[in-house]
Amino acid sequence: MSALALLPFQTAFDPPQQAEGSLDPLGLYSIADALGVRLAPGVRERQSKPRYLTLALAGFAVCQGALQELGSQKRLPAWLVFEWLVVQSLVRRFAGTPDLQGIPGRDKVAECLRRGEPVCASNYLKTPSVFGFHGIYRVLGVKVGLFDADGNPLERGRRVLQAWQQDQQLAGFLNGEGPGRDLRRGIEKTVRAGLESGHMAAPGSDISAWIAAHLNPHRPASMERDVLWSTLTQSDALRGEYAALLTDATGQADWQNAADSEAAYHESLLNRASLPMRHLLRTIRAFERLARLLTDAFDEARWNMSQEGRPVTAGWIAGGACVQRASREGAAALRDALLLLGEVDPVARVRAESSLSWVGEPVNASEFAAHLLAHHERVQRAKPPNGKRPWFDTFGDGRIGIRPAYEPKEFAPAEGEYVHAYRTRPIWSFAIDLGRARVTEAVA
């Protein structure tokens, strides 16, 4: 995928999902994400439908050569015009049906259709290389070897397309003669027109019908499922082992019995996983123990401040049970996490030690509360591009008040549960879609 593909486009107003830096208030996510990347490279929590890899491959196959060159001339990636075509076709064909659920960009496209506007860079997703289906699945496609960073299909990607072509009875899509050749030519013609005009007008009914029939992201067929699963599981040892453990009979039962708790599921894996996997899981569990102590203390402080309804002191915050627990157990939790991080990911260890060294200092609960809030302020100040406001206001006399936007609606400690997610949910969704697992109503 070229550098041009990573450029944002000016778009119609799109209300921000998170105002004022309201994600990751304690700066813990980057460490958790580094561990998740080691466990399942390329897999992200927002992924769920592995067939988007096939959709991307089909587009890259069509958009090579002359279309790719035309896109460079027009400063509009050909893959993006293909994405407009696919999403618009799916929205037109599946409006009001379950098959429309979860398709990236569907709301933007539906609004364009409602207003009678063609889809273009200014009314589609703000950053399609991140939030469109190509963007969401690009890193995974590269990591598993389906296509390179410039979007050129590789040998594994060609095997996926060959399986898809055979399942769909579209001989000729990749080369030669057959019904697939007509589909490809129709898509090429439509994408070329979109590149020339800079927008995607309503595609012909035949093209829309073909795309809905053969590129529905919810409906991979048998050979394609097999090749996608083998690609996902054979291209990285830990990702493959994690998927295999999740989809054998024991793993399926354990995950469903865990009721969506990765902490409980990981505990069940410790006696079955390989030594490298066990070591990584223990590191995750140690880091999440630390993250849970800090997060529960921070959320409890927000809750108690919101219930008090007036500014309070750090000493008052220290009366919370979670703050007291974190002040007692935080130093040991940090020590254990740093020890294991140093063996698994030295860079993450340095990051954790630099940011969280204050947790290891011997302090009372009141001092711990003050350090926790100061840590949150540092995290917010460091957020790009110019820092973010903290979630609370500090008054001249040193008292603290929670800002209304960050008052929690409820609070309950979640001792023993992870703060962050570690890829089990997307891999489970992949397994369901690709016929490797099934949901059971009652698990023994």
Side-chain angles (χ1 to χ4, degrees):
M1 194 173 291
S2 66
L4 177 63
L6 301 179
L7 293 175
F9 293 89
Q10 185 177 7
T11 68
F13 176 68
D14 190 9
Q17 294 180 334
Q18 299 293 339
E20 298 192 337
S22 56
L23 289 174
D24 194 25
L26 298 179
L28 302 172
Y29 172 77
S30 64
I31 299 169
D33 187 57
L35 296 172
V37 167
R38 287 184 174 273
L39 183 64
V43 179
R44 297 292 183 267
E45 290 300 321
R46 57 184 175 158
Q47 297 167 355
S48 61
K49 297 294 176 185
R51 204 188 195 200
Y52 281 114
L53 294 167
T54 304
L55 271 64
L57 278 165
F60 288 145
V62 168
C63 294
Q64 288 181 307
L67 288 180
Q68 196 171 37
E69 292 175 8
L70 179 59
S72 297
Q73 295 169 11
K74 298 290 185 178
R75 298 186 61 80
L76 179 63
W79 64 260
L80 178 57
V81 178
F82 173 77
E83 183 168 304
W84 295 345
L85 169 61
V86 169
V87 177
Q88 187 171 173
S89 296
L90 296 175
V91 169
R92 285 180 176 277
R93 290 284 163 172
F94 297 133
T97 73
D99 280 354
L100 193 60
Q101 293 178 2
I103 296 174
R106 67 192 184 281
D107 293 336
K108 289 280 193 177
V109 169
E111 180 61 18
C112 290
L113 296 178
R114 188 188 67 79
R115 295 196 303 247
E117 298 176 354
V119 180
C120 62
S122 64
N123 58 25
Y124 191 54
L125 298 166
K126 180 186 290 187
T127 313
S129 61
V130 175
F131 299 110
F133 70 77
H134 283 89
I136 293 171
Y137 290 86
R138 179 180 64 87
V139 172
L140 180 58
V142 171
K143 289 291 186 182
V144 301
L146 294 178
F147 42 81
D148 64 21
D150 293 321
N152 300 304
L154 303 175
E155 179 56 34
R156 283 177 173 158
R158 286 188 283 272
R159 288 201 293 269
V160 171
L161 286 175
Q162 287 164 357
W164 168 77
Q165 177 180 267
Q166 188 166 343
D167 278 333
Q168 302 298 319
Q169 299 180 359
L170 288 176
F173 184 89
L174 293 176
N175 50 60
E177 299 293 332
R181 185 182 182 189
D182 294 336
L183 172 58
R184 178 168 180 153
R185 284 182 170 178
I187 293 175
E188 287 174 347
K189 181 180 178 180
T190 306
V191 171
R192 179 177 294 276
L195 286 168
E196 293 284 4
S197 66
H199 62 254
M200 178 55 62
S205 59
D206 287 346
I207 291 291
S208 288
W210 279 336
I211 288 174
H214 302 299
L215 290 174
N216 182 339
H218 298 277
R219 302 182 185 278
S222 59
M223 293 184 63
E224 180 190 354
R225 290 199 303 262
D226 291 344
V227 179
L228 279 173
W229 184 254
S230 65
T231 299
L232 291 166
T233 56
Q234 294 176 14
S235 52
D236 179 82
L238 283 179
R239 189 199 310 114
E241 179 185 356
Y242 198 72
L245 289 169
L246 182 62
T247 55
D248 67 20
T250 301
Q252 291 189 50
D254 286 347
W255 172 240
Q256 292 180 86
N257 281 329
D260 211 40
S261 167
E262 284 189 299
Y265 176 64
H266 282 180
E267 184 176 5
S268 74
L269 281 184
L270 288 174
N271 292 327
R272 304 202 302 129
S274 67
L275 182 60
M277 177 72 73
R278 290 201 301 272
H279 196 43
L280 178 55
L281 293 177
R282 289 191 179 104
T283 304
I284 289 171
R285 288 167 64 80
F287 176 71
E288 285 299 317
R289 178 191 171 211
L290 173 65
R292 176 51 62 194
L293 286 170
L294 298 179
T295 299
D296 278 358
F298 185 73
D299 289 347
E300 178 192 65
R302 291 196 298 133
W303 171 254
N304 287 343
M305 281 191 279
S306 69
Q307 296 302 294
E308 181 68 8
R310 60 181 179 178
V312 299
T313 65
W316 184 90
I317 292 172
C322 293
V323 172
Q324 292 183 14
R325 179 168 180 256
S327 70
R328 292 192 309 269
E329 301 179 16
L334 176 66
R335 183 176 60 250
D336 293 344
L338 291 178
L339 177 64
L340 289 167
L341 281 170
E343 297 173 0
V344 168
D345 192 331
V347 173
R349 183 195 188 282
V350 170
R351 190 182 304 138
E353 187 170 30
S354 174
S355 174
L356 300 171
S357 59
W358 61 271
V359 180
E361 299 172 3
V363 293
N364 59 37
S366 180
E367 293 169 324
F368 183 91
H371 284 320
L372 179 65
L373 297 181
H375 171 74
H376 165 67
E377 287 190 283
R378 289 192 298 272
V379 168
Q380 294 296 93
R381 283 199 304 268
K383 288 181 177 178
N386 300 309
K388 306 293 182 182
R389 292 182 65 187
W391 292 12
F392 55 85
D393 291 318
T394 302
F395 298 90
D397 60 1
R399 291 181 303 155
I400 306 130
I402 186 72
R403 294 174 56 212
Y406 302 103
E407 293 182 356
K409 292 183 172 56
E410 59 184 15
F411 169 72
E415 182 179 353
E417 294 298 326
Y418 289 173
V419 174
H420 306 95
Y422 289 92
R423 317 303 194 255
T424 313
R425 297 173 189 88
I427 293 176
W428 177 255
S429 184
F430 290 177
I432 295 292
D433 267 26
L434 300 180
R436 264 58 189 181
R438 63 188 182 90
V439 177
T440 56
E441 294 184 2
V443 182

